[in-house]
Coordinates of all heavy atoms in Angstrom, one line a residue:
M286 N 102.2 108.8 122.8 CA 101.5 109.3 124.0 C 100.0 109.0 123.9 O 99.5 108.9 122.9 CB 101.7 110.9 124.0 CG 101.4 111.6 125.2 SD 102.5 111.1 126.6 CE 104.1 111.6 126.0
Y287 N 99.4 108.8 125.1 CA 98.1 108.2 125.1 C 97.3 109.0 126.2 O 97.8 109.5 127.2 CB 98.1 106.7 125.6 CG 98.7 105.8 124.6 CD1 100.1 105.6 124.8 CD2 98.1 105.3 123.6 CE1 100.9 104.7 123.7 CE2 98.8 104.5 122.5 CZ 100.2 104.2 122.8 OH 100.8 103.5 121.9
I288 N 96.0 109.0 125.9 CA 95.1 109.7 126.8 C 93.9 108.7 127.1 O 93.8 107.7 126.3 CB 94.5 111.0 126.4 CG1 93.7 110.9 125.0 CG2 95.6 112.0 126.3 CD1 93.1 112.2 124.6
I289 N 93.2 108.9 128.2 CA 91.9 108.3 128.3 C 90.6 109.2 128.1 O 90.7 110.1 128.8 CB 91.8 107.8 129.8 CG1 92.9 106.7 129.9 CG2 90.5 107.0 130.0 CD1 93.1 106.3 131.5
L290 N 89.8 108.7 127.1 CA 88.5 109.4 126.9 C 87.5 108.7 127.7 O 87.4 107.5 127.7 CB 88.2 109.3 125.5 CG 89.2 109.8 124.4 CD1 88.7 109.5 123.0 CD2 89.6 111.4 124.7
T291 N 86.7 109.5 128.5 CA 85.7 109.0 129.4 C 84.4 109.3 129.0 O 84.1 110.5 128.7 CB 85.9 109.2 130.9 OG1 87.2 108.9 131.3 CG2 84.9 108.7 131.7
S292 N 83.4 108.4 129.0 CA 82.0 108.7 128.7 C 81.1 108.1 129.7 O 81.4 107.0 130.2 CB 81.7 108.1 127.3 OG 82.3 108.7 126.3
K293 N 80.0 108.7 130.1 CA 79.1 108.4 131.1 C 77.8 108.3 130.2 O 77.2 109.3 130.0 CB 79.0 109.2 132.3 CG 80.3 109.0 133.1 CD 80.1 109.6 134.4 CE 81.3 109.3 135.4 NZ 81.0 109.7 136.7
P294 N 77.2 107.0 130.1 CA 76.0 106.9 129.4 C 74.9 107.8 129.9 O 74.6 107.8 131.2 CB 75.6 105.4 129.4 CG 77.1 104.8 129.6 CD 77.8 105.7 130.4
G295 N 74.1 108.4 129.1 CA 73.1 109.3 129.5 C 73.4 110.6 130.0 O 72.7 111.5 130.3
Q296 N 74.8 110.9 130.3 CA 75.3 112.2 130.8 C 76.1 113.0 129.7 O 75.9 114.0 129.4 CB 76.1 111.9 132.0 CG 75.2 111.3 133.2 CD 76.1 111.3 134.4 OE1 77.1 111.9 134.6 NE2 75.8 110.3 135.2
Y297 N 77.3 112.3 129.3 CA 78.1 112.8 128.3 C 78.9 111.8 127.6 O 79.1 110.7 128.1 CB 79.0 114.0 128.9 CG 80.1 113.4 129.7 CD1 81.3 113.1 129.3 CD2 79.9 113.2 131.1 CE1 82.3 112.5 130.2 CE2 80.8 112.7 132.0 CZ 82.0 112.4 131.6 OH 83.0 111.8 132.3
R298 N 79.6 112.1 126.4 CA 80.4 111.2 125.9 C 81.7 112.1 125.3 O 81.5 113.3 125.0 CB 79.7 110.5 124.7 CG 79.3 111.3 123.6 CD 78.6 110.3 122.6 NE 78.1 111.1 121.5 CZ 76.9 111.9 121.5 NH1 76.1 112.0 122.5 NH2 76.6 112.6 120.3
S299 N 82.8 111.4 125.4 CA 84.1 112.0 124.7 C 84.3 111.3 123.4 O 84.2 110.1 123.3 CB 85.1 111.7 125.8 OG 85.0 112.4 127.0
E300 N 84.5 112.1 122.4 CA 84.8 111.5 121.0 C 86.1 112.0 120.6 O 86.5 113.1 120.7 CB 83.7 112.0 120.2 CG 82.3 111.6 120.5 CD 81.2 112.1 119.6 OE1 81.5 113.0 118.7 OE2 79.9 111.8 119.8
A301 N 86.7 111.0 119.8 CA 88.0 111.3 119.2 C 87.8 112.2 118.0 O 86.7 112.2 117.3 CB 88.7 110.0 118.7
T302 N 88.8 113.0 117.7 CA 88.7 114.0 116.5 C 90.0 113.7 115.8 O 90.9 112.7 116.2 CB 88.6 115.4 116.9 OG1 89.7 115.8 117.7 CG2 87.4 115.7 117.7
D303 N 90.3 114.5 114.8 CA 91.6 114.3 114.0 C 92.8 114.5 115.0 O 92.8 115.2 115.8 CB 91.7 115.4 112.9 CG 90.7 115.1 111.7 OD1 90.3 114.1 111.6 OD2 90.5 116.2 111.2
G304 N 93.7 113.5 114.8 CA 94.8 113.4 115.6 C 94.7 112.5 116.9 O 95.7 112.4 117.7
I305 N 93.5 112.0 117.0 CA 93.2 110.9 118.1 C 92.7 109.7 117.6 O 91.8 109.6 116.8 CB 92.3 111.6 119.1 CG1 92.6 112.9 119.6 CG2 91.9 110.6 120.2 CD1 91.6 113.7 120.4
E306 N 93.5 108.7 117.9 CA 93.1 107.3 117.4 C 92.8 106.3 118.5 O 93.7 105.9 119.4 CB 94.2 106.7 116.6 CG 93.9 105.3 116.1 CD 95.2 104.9 115.2 OE1 96.0 105.6 114.8 OE2 95.2 103.6 114.9
P307 N 91.5 105.9 118.7 CA 91.2 105.0 119.9 C 92.0 103.6 119.5 O 92.2 103.1 118.5 CB 89.7 104.8 119.5 CG 89.2 106.0 118.9 CD 90.4 106.4 118.0
V308 N 92.5 103.1 120.7 CA 93.3 101.9 120.8 C 92.5 100.7 121.3 O 92.4 99.7 120.9 CB 94.5 102.1 121.4 CG1 95.5 100.8 121.6 CG2 95.4 103.2 120.7
E309 N 92.0 101.0 122.5 CA 91.2 100.0 123.2 C 89.9 100.6 124.0 O 90.0 101.9 124.2 CB 92.0 99.4 124.4 CG 93.2 98.5 123.9 CD 93.7 97.8 125.1 OE1 93.3 97.9 126.2 OE2 94.9 97.1 124.8
V310 N 88.8 99.9 124.1 CA 87.7 100.4 124.7 C 87.4 99.4 125.9 O 87.4 98.2 125.9 CB 86.5 100.3 123.9 CG1 85.4 101.0 124.5 CG2 86.7 101.4 122.6
H311 N 87.1 100.1 127.1 CA 86.8 99.2 128.3 C 85.5 99.8 128.9 O 85.3 101.0 129.0 CB 87.9 99.4 129.3 CG 89.1 98.9 128.8 ND1 89.6 97.6 129.2 CD2 90.2 99.4 128.0 CE1 90.8 97.4 128.6 NE2 91.1 98.4 127.9
D312 N 84.6 98.9 129.3 CA 83.4 99.2 130.1 C 83.6 99.0 131.5 O 84.2 98.0 132.0 CB 82.2 98.4 129.5 CG 81.8 98.7 128.1 OD1 81.4 99.7 127.7 OD2 82.0 97.8 127.3
Y313 N 83.0 100.1 132.3 CA 83.2 100.1 133.7 C 81.8 99.8 134.3 O 80.8 100.4 134.0 CB 83.7 101.3 134.2 CG 83.6 101.5 135.8 CD1 84.0 100.4 136.6 CD2 83.1 102.6 136.3 CE1 84.0 100.6 138.1 CE2 83.0 102.8 137.6 CZ 83.4 101.9 138.5 OH 83.4 101.9 139.9
F314 N 81.6 98.7 135.1 CA 80.4 98.3 135.6 C 80.6 98.3 137.2 O 81.5 98.0 137.7 CB 80.0 96.9 135.3 CG 79.7 96.6 133.8 CD1 80.8 96.3 132.9 CD2 78.4 96.9 133.3 CE1 80.4 96.1 131.5 CE2 78.3 96.7 131.9 CZ 79.1 96.4 131.1
Y315 N 79.5 98.6 137.8 CA 79.4 98.5 139.3 C 78.1 97.6 139.5 O 77.1 98.2 139.3 CB 79.4 99.9 140.1 CG 79.5 99.7 141.4 CD1 80.8 99.6 141.9 CD2 78.5 99.5 142.4 CE1 81.0 99.5 143.3 CE2 78.7 99.4 143.7 CZ 80.0 99.4 144.3 OH 80.2 99.2 145.5
G316 N 78.3 96.5 140.0 CA 77.2 95.5 140.0 C 76.8 95.3 138.5 O 77.6 95.0 137.7
E317 N 75.4 95.5 138.3 CA 75.0 95.3 137.0 C 74.9 96.6 136.2 O 74.5 96.7 135.1 CB 73.6 94.7 137.0 CG 73.6 93.2 137.5 CD 74.4 92.4 136.7 OE1 74.4 92.3 135.5 OE2 75.2 91.6 137.3
R318 N 75.1 97.7 136.9 CA 75.0 99.2 136.3 C 76.2 99.5 135.5 O 77.4 99.4 136.0 CB 74.9 100.1 137.5 CG 74.4 101.4 137.1 CD 74.1 102.5 138.1 NE 75.1 102.6 139.0 CZ 75.8 103.6 139.2 NH1 75.8 104.6 138.3 NH2 76.8 103.7 140.1
H319 N 76.0 99.8 134.3 CA 77.1 100.3 133.4 C 77.4 101.8 133.7 O 76.5 102.6 133.4 CB 76.6 100.2 131.9 CG 77.7 100.5 130.9 ND1 77.5 101.2 129.9 CD2 79.0 100.1 130.9 CE1 78.6 101.3 129.1 NE2 79.5 100.8 129.8
V320 N 78.5 102.0 134.2 CA 78.7 103.3 134.8 C 79.5 104.2 133.8 O 79.2 105.4 133.6 CB 79.7 103.2 136.0 CG1 80.0 104.5 136.7 CG2 78.9 102.3 137.1
A321 N 80.5 103.6 133.0 CA 81.3 104.5 132.1 C 81.9 103.6 131.0 O 82.1 102.5 131.2 CB 82.4 105.2 133.0
V322 N 82.3 104.4 130.1 CA 83.2 103.9 129.0 C 84.5 104.5 128.9 O 84.5 105.8 129.0 CB 82.5 103.9 127.6 CG1 83.4 103.4 126.5 CG2 81.1 103.3 127.6
F323 N 85.6 103.7 129.0 CA 86.9 104.3 129.0 C 87.6 104.0 127.6 O 87.6 102.8 127.3 CB 87.9 103.8 130.1 CG 87.3 104.3 131.5 CD1 87.0 103.2 132.3 CD2 87.3 105.5 131.8 CE1 86.5 103.5 133.7 CE2 86.7 105.9 133.2 CZ 86.5 104.8 134.0
V324 N 88.1 104.9 126.9 CA 88.7 104.7 125.6 C 90.1 105.1 125.8 O 90.5 106.3 126.1 CB 88.0 105.5 124.4 CG1 88.9 105.2 123.1 CG2 86.7 105.0 124.2
V325 N 91.1 104.2 125.6 CA 92.6 104.4 125.5 C 92.9 104.9 124.1 O 92.5 104.2 123.3 CB 93.4 103.3 126.0 CG1 94.9 103.7 125.8 CG2 93.1 102.9 127.4
A326 N 93.4 106.1 123.9 CA 93.6 106.7 122.6 C 94.9 107.2 122.5 O 95.6 107.9 123.4 CB 92.6 107.7 122.2
A327 N 95.6 106.9 121.3 CA 96.9 107.5 120.9 C 96.7 108.9 120.4 O 95.7 109.1 119.7 CB 97.6 106.7 119.9
I328 N 97.5 109.9 120.8 CA 97.3 111.3 120.3 C 98.6 111.7 119.4 O 99.7 111.2 119.7 CB 97.1 112.3 121.4 CG1 98.2 112.3 122.5 CG2 95.6 112.1 122.1 CD1 98.1 113.4 123.5
R329 N 98.3 112.5 118.4 CA 99.4 113.0 117.6 C 99.2 114.5 117.5 O 98.0 114.9 117.2 CB 99.3 112.4 116.3 CG 99.7 111.0 116.2 CD 99.5 110.3 114.7 NE 98.2 110.7 114.1 CZ 97.2 109.8 114.3 NH1 97.3 108.9 115.2 NH2 96.1 110.0 113.8
G330 N 100.1 115.3 117.9 CA 100.0 116.7 117.7 C 99.0 117.4 118.7 O 98.9 116.9 119.9
D331 N 98.6 118.5 118.3 CA 97.7 119.3 119.2 C 96.2 119.0 119.0 O 95.4 119.8 118.5 CB 97.9 120.8 119.0 CG 99.4 121.2 119.4 OD1 99.9 120.6 120.4 OD2 99.9 122.1 118.8
A332 N 95.9 117.8 119.2 CA 94.5 117.3 118.9 C 93.5 117.9 120.1 O 94.0 118.4 121.2 CB 94.4 115.9 119.0
K333 N 92.2 117.9 119.7 CA 91.1 118.2 120.6 C 90.2 117.1 120.8 O 89.9 116.3 119.8 CB 90.5 119.6 120.2 CG 91.4 120.7 120.2 CD 90.6 122.0 119.8 CE 91.5 123.1 119.9 NZ 90.9 124.4 119.6
V334 N 89.7 116.9 122.0 CA 88.7 115.9 122.3 C 87.3 116.7 122.2 O 87.1 117.7 122.7 CB 88.9 115.3 123.7 CG1 87.7 114.3 124.0 CG2 90.2 114.6 123.7
K335 N 86.3 116.0 121.5 CA 85.0 116.5 121.4 C 84.1 115.9 122.5 O 84.1 114.6 122.8 CB 84.3 116.1 120.1 CG 82.9 116.6 119.8 CD 82.5 116.1 118.4 CE 81.2 116.6 118.1 NZ 80.6 116.0 116.8
I336 N 83.7 116.8 123.4 CA 82.9 116.4 124.6 C 81.4 116.9 124.2 O 81.1 118.0 124.1 CB 83.2 117.1 125.9 CG1 84.9 116.9 126.1 CG2 82.5 116.7 127.1 CD1 85.3 115.5 126.5
V337 N 80.6 115.8 124.2 CA 79.1 116.0 123.9 C 78.3 115.8 125.1 O 78.2 114.7 125.6 CB 78.7 115.2 122.8 CG1 77.1 115.4 122.4 CG2 79.6 115.3 121.5
D338 N 77.6 116.8 125.7 CA 76.7 116.8 126.8 C 75.4 116.1 126.3 O 74.7 116.6 125.3 CB 76.5 118.0 127.4 CG 75.8 118.2 128.7 OD1 75.2 117.1 129.1 OD2 75.6 119.2 129.2
D339 N 74.8 115.1 126.9 CA 73.6 114.3 126.4 C 72.4 115.1 126.9 O 71.3 114.7 126.5 CB 73.6 113.0 126.9 CG 74.6 112.2 126.2 OD1 75.0 112.5 125.0 OD2 75.0 111.0 126.6
D340 N 72.5 116.2 127.7 CA 71.3 116.9 128.2 C 70.8 117.7 127.0 O 71.4 117.9 126.0 CB 71.6 117.8 129.3 CG 71.8 117.0 130.7 OD1 71.3 116.0 130.7 OD2 72.4 117.6 131.5
S341 N 69.4 118.0 127.1 CA 68.8 118.9 126.1 C 68.7 120.3 126.7 O 68.4 120.5 127.8 CB 67.4 118.4 125.9 OG 66.8 119.0 124.8
P342 N 69.3 121.3 125.9 CA 69.9 121.1 124.5 C 71.2 120.6 124.5 O 71.9 120.7 125.6 CB 69.8 122.6 124.0 CG 69.9 123.4 125.1 CD 69.1 122.7 126.3
T343 N 71.6 119.9 123.7 CA 72.9 119.2 123.5 C 74.1 120.3 123.4 O 73.9 121.3 122.6 CB 73.0 118.2 122.4 OG1 72.1 117.3 122.4 CG2 74.5 117.6 122.2
T344 N 75.1 120.1 124.2 CA 76.2 121.0 124.3 C 77.5 120.3 123.8 O 77.7 119.2 124.2 CB 76.4 121.5 125.7 OG1 75.2 122.2 126.1 CG2 77.6 122.6 125.6
V345 N 78.3 121.0 122.9 CA 79.5 120.4 122.4 C 80.6 121.3 122.6 O 80.5 122.5 122.4 CB 79.3 120.1 120.8 CG1 80.6 119.5 120.3 CG2 78.2 119.2 120.5
N346 N 81.7 120.7 123.2 CA 82.9 121.4 123.5 C 84.0 120.7 123.0 O 84.1 119.5 122.9 CB 83.1 121.6 125.0 CG 82.1 122.5 125.7 OD1 82.0 123.7 125.4 ND2 81.3 121.9 126.4
L347 N 85.0 121.5 122.4 CA 86.3 120.9 122.1 C 87.4 121.2 122.9 O 87.6 122.4 123.2 CB 86.7 121.4 120.6 CG 85.8 121.0 119.5 CD1 86.2 121.7 118.2 CD2 86.0 119.5 119.2
V348 N 88.0 120.1 123.6 CA 88.9 120.4 124.7 C 90.3 119.9 124.3 O 90.4 118.8 123.9 CB 88.4 119.5 126.0 CG1 89.5 119.7 127.1 CG2 87.1 120.0 126.4
P349 N 91.3 120.8 124.3 CA 92.7 120.4 123.8 C 93.1 119.3 124.8 O 92.9 119.2 126.0 CB 93.5 121.8 124.2 CG 92.5 122.9 124.2 CD 91.2 122.2 124.8
T350 N 93.8 118.4 124.1 CA 94.4 117.2 125.0 C 95.4 117.6 126.1 O 95.8 116.8 126.9 CB 95.0 116.2 124.0 OG1 96.1 116.8 123.2 CG2 93.9 115.6 123.1
K351 N 95.9 118.8 126.0 CA 96.8 119.2 126.9 C 96.2 119.2 128.4 O 96.8 119.2 129.4 CB 97.5 120.6 126.7 CG 96.5 121.7 126.9 CD 97.2 123.0 126.4 CE 96.3 124.3 126.7 NZ 97.0 125.5 126.3
F352 N 94.8 119.2 128.3 CA 94.2 119.3 129.6 C 93.9 117.8 130.2 O 93.2 117.6 131.2 CB 92.8 120.1 129.5 CG 93.2 121.5 129.5 CD1 92.8 122.1 128.3 CD2 93.6 122.3 130.5 CE1 93.0 123.5 128.0 CE2 93.8 123.6 130.2 CZ 93.5 124.3 129.0
F353 N 94.2 116.9 129.5 CA 94.1 115.3 129.8 C 95.3 114.9 130.3 O 96.4 115.2 129.9 CB 93.7 114.6 128.6 CG 92.3 114.9 128.2 CD1 92.0 116.1 127.5 CD2 91.3 113.9 128.3 CE1 90.7 116.2 127.0 CE2 89.9 114.1 127.9 CZ 89.6 115.2 127.3
E354 N 95.2 113.9 131.3 CA 96.5 113.1 131.8 C 97.0 112.4 130.5 O 96.2 111.8 129.9 CB 96.1 112.3 132.9 CG 97.3 111.7 133.6 CD 96.9 110.8 134.8 OE1 95.8 110.7 135.3 OE2 97.9 110.3 135.4
H355 N 98.3 112.4 130.4 CA 99.1 111.8 129.4 C 99.7 110.5 130.0 O 100.2 110.5 131.0 CB 100.1 112.7 128.8 CG 99.4 113.7 127.8 ND1 98.7 114.8 128.4 CD2 99.2 113.8 126.6 CE1 98.4 115.5 127.6 NE2 98.6 115.0 126.4
F356 N 99.7 109.5 129.2 CA 100.4 108.2 129.5 C 101.3 107.7 128.5 O 101.2 108.0 127.3 CB 99.4 107.1 129.8 CG 98.3 107.5 130.8 CD1 97.2 108.1 130.3 CD2 98.5 107.1 132.1 CE1 96.2 108.4 131.2 CE2 97.6 107.6 132.9 CZ 96.4 108.1 132.6
S357 N 102.6 107.2 128.9 CA 103.5 106.8 127.9 C 103.3 105.6 127.2 O 103.8 105.4 126.1 CB 105.0 106.8 128.5 OG 104.8 105.8 129.6
S358 N 102.3 104.7 127.7 CA 102.0 103.5 127.1 C 100.6 103.1 127.5 O 99.9 103.6 128.4 CB 103.0 102.3 127.7 OG 102.6 102.1 129.0
V359 N 100.0 102.1 126.6 CA 98.7 101.6 126.8 C 98.7 100.8 128.2 O 97.7 101.2 129.0 CB 98.2 100.6 125.8 CG1 96.9 99.9 126.0 CG2 98.1 101.4 124.4
P360 N 99.6 100.1 128.7 CA 99.5 99.6 130.1 C 99.5 100.6 131.1 O 98.8 100.4 132.1 CB 100.8 98.7 130.2 CG 101.1 98.3 128.8 CD 100.8 99.5 127.9
D361 N 100.2 101.8 131.0 CA 100.2 102.8 132.0 C 98.8 103.4 132.0 O 98.1 103.6 133.2 CB 101.2 103.9 131.7 CG 102.5 103.6 131.9 OD1 102.9 102.6 132.7 OD2 103.4 104.3 131.3
A362 N 98.1 103.4 130.9 CA 96.7 104.1 130.9 C 95.7 103.0 131.5 O 94.9 103.4 132.3 CB 96.4 104.3 129.4
L363 N 96.0 101.8 131.2 CA 95.1 100.7 131.7 C 95.2 100.7 133.3 O 94.2 100.4 134.0 CB 95.5 99.4 131.2 CG 95.1 99.2 129.7 CD1 95.6 97.9 129.1 CD2 93.6 99.4 129.4
R364 N 96.4 100.9 133.8 CA 96.7 100.9 135.4 C 95.8 102.1 135.8 O 95.2 101.9 136.9 CB 98.2 101.0 135.7 CG 98.9 99.7 135.7 CD 100.2 99.8 136.3 NE 101.2 100.4 135.4 CZ 101.8 100.0 134.4 NH1 101.4 98.7 134.1 NH2 102.6 100.5 133.6
S365 N 95.7 103.2 135.2 CA 95.0 104.3 135.7 C 93.5 104.0 135.7 O 92.8 104.4 136.6 CB 95.2 105.5 134.9 OG 94.5 106.7 135.2
I366 N 93.0 103.3 134.6 CA 91.7 102.9 134.6 C 91.3 102.0 135.7 O 90.3 102.2 136.3 CB 91.4 102.2 133.2 CG1 91.4 103.2 132.1 CG2 90.0 101.6 133.2 CD1 91.3 102.7 130.7
Q367 N 92.2 101.0 136.0 CA 91.9 100.2 137.1 C 91.8 100.9 138.4 O 91.0 100.7 139.3 CB 93.1 99.1 137.2 CG 92.9 98.1 136.2 CD 91.7 97.2 136.3 OE1 91.0 97.1 137.3 NE2 91.1 96.8 135.1
D368 N 92.9 102.0 138.7 CA 92.8 102.9 139.8 C 91.4 103.6 139.8 O 90.8 103.8 141.0 CB 93.9 103.8 139.8 CG 95.2 103.1 140.1 OD1 95.2 101.9 140.5 OD2 96.3 103.7 139.8
L369 N 91.0 104.0 138.8 CA 89.6 104.8 138.7 C 88.4 103.9 139.2 O 87.6 104.4 139.8 CB 89.3 105.3 137.3 CG 90.2 106.4 136.8 CD1 90.0 106.8 135.4 CD2 90.1 107.8 137.7
A370 N 88.6 102.7 138.7 CA 87.5 101.8 139.0 C 87.6 101.3 140.4 O 86.5 100.8 141.0 CB 87.6 100.5 138.1
G371 N 88.6 101.4 141.1 CA 88.8 100.9 142.5 C 89.1 99.6 142.6 O 88.5 98.7 142.0
H372 N 90.1 99.2 143.4 CA 90.6 97.8 143.7 C 89.9 97.3 144.8 O 89.6 96.0 144.9 CB 92.0 97.8 143.9 CG 92.8 98.2 142.8 ND1 93.0 97.4 141.7 CD2 93.6 99.4 142.5 CE1 93.8 98.1 140.9 NE2 94.2 99.2 141.2
G373 N 89.2 98.0 145.7 CA 88.7 97.5 146.9 C 87.1 97.2 146.9 O 86.5 96.6 147.8
H374 N 86.5 97.3 145.7 CA 85.1 97.0 145.5 C 84.9 95.9 144.8 O 85.2 95.7 143.5 CB 84.5 98.3 144.8 CG 84.7 99.5 145.5 ND1 83.9 99.9 146.6 CD2 85.5 100.6 145.3 CE1 84.3 101.1 147.0 NE2 85.3 101.6 146.2
T375 N 84.3 94.8 145.4 CA 84.0 93.6 144.8 C 83.0 93.6 143.7 O 83.0 92.8 142.6 CB 83.6 92.5 145.7 OG1 82.4 93.0 146.3 CG2 84.7 92.2 146.8
D376 N 82.2 94.7 143.7 CA 81.2 94.8 142.6 C 81.6 95.7 141.4 O 80.9 95.7 140.4 CB 79.9 95.6 143.3 CG 79.1 94.7 144.2 OD1 79.2 93.5 144.2 OD2 78.5 95.4 145.1
A377 N 82.8 96.2 141.5 CA 83.4 97.1 140.4 C 84.2 96.2 139.5 O 85.0 95.3 139.9 CB 84.2 98.2 140.9
R378 N 84.0 96.3 138.3 CA 84.8 95.7 137.2 C 84.9 96.4 136.0 O 84.0 97.2 135.5 CB 84.3 94.2 137.1 CG 83.0 94.3 136.3 CD 82.4 92.7 136.2 NE 81.1 92.5 135.3 CZ 80.0 93.0 135.6 NH1 79.7 93.8 136.7 NH2 79.0 92.9 134.8
V379 N 86.1 96.1 135.3 CA 86.3 96.8 134.1 C 86.5 95.7 133.0 O 87.2 94.9 133.2 CB 87.6 97.7 134.1 CG1 87.9 98.3 132.7 CG2 87.5 98.8 135.1
V380 N 85.7 95.8 131.9 CA 85.7 94.8 130.9 C 86.1 95.3 129.6 O 85.6 96.3 129.2 CB 84.3 94.1 130.8 CG1 84.2 93.1 129.8 CG2 83.8 93.7 132.2
R381 N 87.2 94.8 129.0 CA 87.6 95.2 127.7 C 86.7 94.7 126.6 O 86.2 93.5 126.6 CB 89.0 94.8 127.4 CG 89.4 95.1 126.0 CD 91.0 94.7 125.7 NE 91.3 95.2 124.4 CZ 92.4 94.8 123.9 NH1 93.2 94.1 124.6 NH2 92.7 95.3 122.7
R382 N 86.3 95.6 125.7 CA 85.5 95.2 124.5 C 86.3 94.4 123.5 O 87.3 94.9 123.3 CB 84.8 96.4 123.9 CG 83.7 97.0 124.7 CD 83.1 98.1 124.0 NE 82.1 98.9 124.8 CZ 81.6 100.1 124.3 NH1 81.7 100.5 123.1 NH2 80.9 100.7 125.2
P383 N 85.7 93.5 122.8 CA 86.4 92.9 121.7 C 86.7 93.9 120.7 O 85.9 94.9 120.5 CB 85.4 91.9 121.1 CG 84.6 91.7 122.2 CD 84.4 92.9 123.0
A384 N 87.8 93.8 119.9 CA 88.2 94.8 118.9 C 87.1 95.2 118.0 O 86.9 96.2 117.6 CB 89.4 94.4 118.1
A385 N 86.2 94.1 117.5 CA 85.2 94.4 116.5 C 84.2 95.2 117.1 O 83.4 95.9 116.4 CB 84.6 93.0 116.1
H386 N 84.0 95.4 118.5 CA 83.0 96.2 119.1 C 83.5 97.4 119.8 O 83.0 98.0 120.7 CB 82.2 95.4 120.1 CG 81.6 94.2 119.5 ND1 80.5 94.2 118.6 CD2 82.0 92.9 119.5 CE1 80.1 93.1 118.3 NE2 81.0 92.2 118.8
A387 N 84.7 97.9 119.4 CA 85.4 98.9 120.0 C 84.8 100.3 120.1 O 84.8 101.1 121.1 CB 86.8 99.2 119.5
Q388 N 83.9 100.5 119.2 CA 83.2 101.8 119.1 C 81.7 101.6 118.9 O 80.9 101.8 119.1 CB 83.6 102.8 118.1 CG 85.2 103.3 118.2 CD 85.3 104.3 119.4 OE1 84.3 105.1 119.6 NE2 86.2 104.2 120.2

């Protein structure tokens, strides 16, 4: 089973914890602006995602993965990322990071 962890630079970031293994990382751009980072991650058991708010003071929450949309495969999760980015916007693009730069 897979989930998508989303982070928005300067706003918040989602971090894997025990039971969550990042598989692929994709950057979402609109024009030249880096809008978000999407991490496709495999989950095992009752894991929780660490959500860190970048505002001051920093807030940290642990959110159970049951509140995230689940995908049966990496390609299913990638289709969802493409839908989030929008197909009709010529300025929107999702770029996969090379494995060496995944995190």
Side-chain angles (χ1 to χ4, degrees):
M286 198 61 61
Y287 299 88
I288 61 172
I289 298 171
L290 306 177
T291 304
S292 298
K293 290 192 171 188
Q296 296 179 28
Y297 68 90
R298 65 185 181 278
S299 301
E300 298 178 356
T302 60
D303 289 340
I305 300 174
E306 182 181 342
V308 176
E309 292 185 8
V310 179
H311 298 261
D312 291 298
Y313 170 48
F314 295 92
Y315 192 84
E317 295 301 314
R318 188 169 60 100
H319 184 223
V320 178
V322 177
F323 299 118
V324 177
V325 177
I328 57 171
R329 293 178 305 282
D331 296 325
K333 293 184 179 182
V334 175
K335 183 177 179 180
I336 308 290
V337 180
D338 187 353
D339 288 340
D340 287 340
S341 184
T343 301
T344 305
V345 177
N346 291 297
L347 291 174
V348 180
T350 57
K351 70 179 183 180
F352 292 110
F353 287 73
E354 185 173 1
H355 290 73
F356 303 93
S357 59
S358 67
V359 172
D361 287 344
L363 295 177
R364 276 190 288 283
S365 179
I366 290 171
Q367 289 297 332
D368 288 344
L369 288 171
H372 294 287
H374 301 284
T375 58
D376 291 333
R378 68 188 190 288
V379 177
V380 180
R381 182 177 177 187
R382 288 187 190 173
H386 302 286
Q388 291 288 322

